[in-house]
Amino acid sequence: MKKFFSFLRSMRFGIVLLLLIAAASVVGSILPQGRPMSWYSENYPSLYALILNTGVYDIYNGWAFQLLIGLLCLNLTLCSLLRIRTLSGGKDFVARAVDLRDETELNEEELSRLREHLSFLRCRKTEFDGVTVYHKNGFGRWGSFLTHLSLLLIVLVGAASLYLPKEENVACLQGETVQLDDGTVIAVDSFTMDMSSAHKDYTSVVRVTLPDGRESGSREIKVNHPLSFGNLKIYQWQWGAEGSVVVTNPEKQSSGVYYLTDRCKLTADGVSGIEYLSLQETEPEPDSGESPFIYYLVYVYDNGVVSQRGFLPGERVTVGGIEYLFRPPLYPVLRVKTLPAFINPLLIAIFALLTAALTVTFFFQPVVVKVDGKGFAVGGPKPEAMRIALQSFRKE
Amino acid sequence: MRIFFFVVVGLYTLAMVLQFAGAAFKKQPLAKSAFWLFVLAFAAQTVFTVLWGVRLSRLPLSNQFEFSNAFAWGVALFLIVLSLRLKIDWLNTVVMPMVALLLMYAALQRMSTDELSDPLRSVWFGIHIGSAVFSYAAFAVAGGAGLRYVIQTGRGADEQEAAMMRLDFLGYRLIAFGFLLLTVVILTGAIWAEDAWGAFWAWDPKEVWALITWIIYAVYLHRRLRGGKTGLKMAWFAIVAVPVVLFTFAGVNTLIPGLHSYG
């Protein structure tokens, strides 16, 4: 049993797992993932059976890949536990240096220069019987443990952030509201596209009311600037265009909204009115500095006279005593993600921990140098850097 | 600006040729001239990059041309710093061609003046892509150090010699630095992806290949730090890992479209 656990926490096993994950990832990056099976039979007819049987069309969600990740977590857990045990021998780390062998012999003058150099390298000094132990980066012993621990936490918390959230895409016209299943209400006050640059900028202004009554107030959502409120995170996802017109009959003091999805005619008396044709986008000359814009293309029927006209959002026309107000057609599609609020900040904190831990592991390795009356010896988990730093004192 | 760029490419190429000549004929003055011409080319490239960025009103890192230029600049910077700080010239012959080849690749790309697209307008833009530049550059130079090590071993150098140990250690340190920065690339990319695309990780090909590169170098570092492996085998490892970096840099964008396909 001991051998089995020893194997599970071994570096060799960890390396094998990492390489298998890398190999699976190569396949997953080359073969498009998550397509309908008919797509694979059309595009890879000779490999279709293999793709179907091995499940490589959805490799990252397949049981084999999940098993590899699970075993990697087990490997990281076990080797982290092992490292905790070795960390407990901290105080002995310096004292054990007294027993270092393989000394380089130096004369008095060289020893004096060595001591100065070690002080210059900011090593701390601890005296034992006739022996001085110079040491630095004692905290570096924690580097490897924290690195592996943070990798483990990234996998676990990262998996939670991938698989726990509930996500849905919500389309909502400007000036309207939409209610989610949990009772959250999202009101879209406006949606604009800044089309003045080569690439469009999309901005939604929304108000969110949570089921518990908390209100976000008026907030902007743009690409790269989602709205975080409560357990919600709302992203600017896509946009759409759908025509709509507010029809007002002043005589009857009534009005209503009509959604213009297909070509249609709106008329109160069958003679005068408008016939919606389509939404159009202008194409300004390149380098003209003009922005493209969307407008309604309609036929206007006015006392037997038909004319084709374009109307910008916000414009109105009165025909046969009926007023037609053309509403902004653009609407945002927002992606709403529901996730416990602490998960994202926790993951970012773990990222920071991993970065710090790697820095310590690579660049702050603990090292000891034993100096006695005869010479010096270098020790520590990875004394290579110090050995090279003291190379001038080593006799070839 | 295009002409300025090709002047830079020409200067680097000339420096490379001089270096080859200096190494082949063992003429130290030629090799020294090559180095200082290389420094001049680097200065010219720096000016070009700054002017290009000023023209675009942003960091010039958003497409293949700009990234290739930055990658080459990073490799050149590493070479110059190592040469001046450590007073070594071992790497010049192997690293100078890398810079020239990267810029020749850049020359084949479109010098786009398009504004940044929406997903790229983020505070993470400079940190994420800047880290990638220096990470890839460190790996490339480490590969150069590995190549030098292999060449020297082939010429009969003893792996226990001080110079060989320093070369080996330099390769390790470069990979450690590159690995740290690659971790920063992946982590900042994840944070940025969450803001832009709603998920820390989307198994996008670029993300996946960055992870594959990270895994390859993690194996190197484990073999070195835990396994105590040094010397020729690790030098070969550093060389063989470079094509993975190059595929992540250029191959993915060219051959596998995904969320990172920005031109």
Side-chain angles (χ1 to χ4, degrees), chain A residues 11-215:
Chain A
M11 183 185 77
R12 187 166 288 186
F13 183 53
I15 287 176
V16 166
L17 288 173
L18 285 174
L19 290 174
L20 286 173
I21 289 169
S25 300
V26 170
V27 174
S29 68
I30 293 171
L31 182 72
Q33 296 289 292
R35 301 283 177 99
M37 293 314 298
S38 55
W39 188 90
Y40 296 103
S41 70
E42 279 167 28
N43 290 278
Y44 301 93
S46 55
L47 296 173
Y48 177 70
L50 180 66
I51 291 170
L52 183 64
N53 292 332
T54 54
V56 293
Y57 56 89
D58 193 16
I59 199 167
Y60 304 117
N61 292 319
W63 67 266
F65 195 80
Q66 306 291 325
L67 177 64
L68 288 175
I69 299 293
L71 287 173
L72 184 65
C73 288
L74 180 62
N75 178 263
L76 287 169
T77 305
L78 292 175
C79 73
S80 295
L81 290 173
L82 177 69
R83 276 175 176 79
I84 291 177
R85 277 197 296 162
T86 57
L87 281 173
S88 61
K91 287 182 187 159
D92 299 336
F93 165 68
V94 175
R96 279 203 302 268
V98 175
D99 300 323
L100 282 173
R101 297 284 173 255
D102 195 23
E103 279 191 23
T104 299
E105 290 187 4
L106 299 176
N107 60 36
E108 271 302 319
E109 192 209 330
E110 287 164 338
L111 277 171
S112 173
R113 277 197 304 114
L114 174 68
R115 290 194 175 95
E116 271 178 33
H117 189 63
L118 288 169
S119 297
F120 171 73
L121 292 176
R122 279 178 271 166
C123 294
R124 292 162 64 182
K125 247 183 348 185
T126 303
E127 301 283 351
F128 296 91
D129 293 325
V131 171
T132 310
V133 175
Y134 291 82
H135 51 99
K136 65 188 279 189
N137 300 334
F139 64 93
R141 294 176 298 114
W142 289 86
S144 187
F145 165 69
L146 290 174
T147 297
H148 290 85
L149 179 67
S150 42
L151 283 169
L152 174 65
L153 290 174
I154 283 172
V155 174
L156 295 175
V157 180
S161 82
L162 269 182
Y163 296 113
L164 281 186
K166 184 173 151 258
E167 294 181 9
E168 57 182 307
N169 288 349
V170 168
C172 182
L173 291 176
Q174 296 180 57
E176 297 193 355
T177 62
V178 64
Q179 184 165 339
L180 306 181
D181 291 340
D182 66 355
T184 300
V185 174
I186 301 174
V188 176
D189 290 340
S190 68
F191 173 68
T192 50
M193 278 204 301
D194 176 2
M195 304 197 241
S196 57
S197 62
H199 300 278
K200 301 181 173 91
D201 263 335
Y202 311 91
T203 307
S204 298
V205 177
V206 304
R207 284 173 291 114
V208 179
T209 307
L210 297 178
D212 60 12
R214 280 184 292 156
E215 292 183 2

Side-chain angles (χ1 to χ4, degrees), chain A residues 11-12 15 18-19 21-22 25-26 28-30 60 65 82-83 144 148 151 154 161-163 167 196-202 222-226 233 235-237 335 337 343-344 347-348 351-352 354-355 358-359 361-363 365 381-382 384-385 388 391 396, chain B residues 114-122 160-163 165-166 168-169 172-173 175-177 179-180 183-184 186-188 190-203 205 208-209 211-212 214-216 218-219 221-227 230 247 256:
Chain A
M11 183 185 77
R12 187 166 288 186
I15 287 176
L18 285 174
L19 290 174
I21 289 169
S25 300
V26 170
S29 68
I30 293 171
Y60 304 117
F65 195 80
L82 177 69
R83 276 175 176 79
S144 187
H148 290 85
L151 283 169
I154 283 172
S161 82
L162 269 182
Y163 296 113
E167 294 181 9
S196 57
S197 62
H199 300 278
K200 301 181 173 91
D201 263 335
Y202 311 91
K222 293 181 171 198
V223 176
N224 277 321
H225 298 92
K233 203 153 181 184
Y235 302 83
Q236 182 63 60
W237 201 244
R335 190 167 188 89
K337 192 160 91 167
I343 288 212
N344 283 0
L347 206 44
I348 292 169
F351 289 169
L354 174 62
T355 308
L358 280 173
T359 307
T361 303
F362 295 140
F363 302 109
Q365 282 285 338
K382 306 286 174 296
E384 205 175 354
I388 288 178
Q391 221 161 28
E396 296 295 337
Chain B
D114 290 348
E115 287 189 32
L116 272 186
S117 59
D118 238 13
L120 293 180
R121 290 189 212 175
S122 167
Q160 298 306 313
E161 279 176 24
M165 289 174 70
R166 282 180 75 195
D168 175 63
F169 186 68
Y172 153 65
R173 268 292 168 100
I175 286 176
F177 182 68
F179 184 82
L180 175 64
T183 306
V184 170
I186 293 172
L187 298 181
T188 54
I191 297 170
W192 187 2
E194 209 280 330
D195 272 349
W197 303 324
F200 283 104
W201 193 261
W203 295 110
V208 168
W209 275 91
L211 179 65
I212 291 168
W214 189 91
I215 287 174
I216 298 294
V219 172
L221 290 163
H222 275 86
R223 299 281 290 158
R224 180 142 191 136
L225 292 174
R226 289 282 291 172
T230 58
F247 189 80
I256 313 175

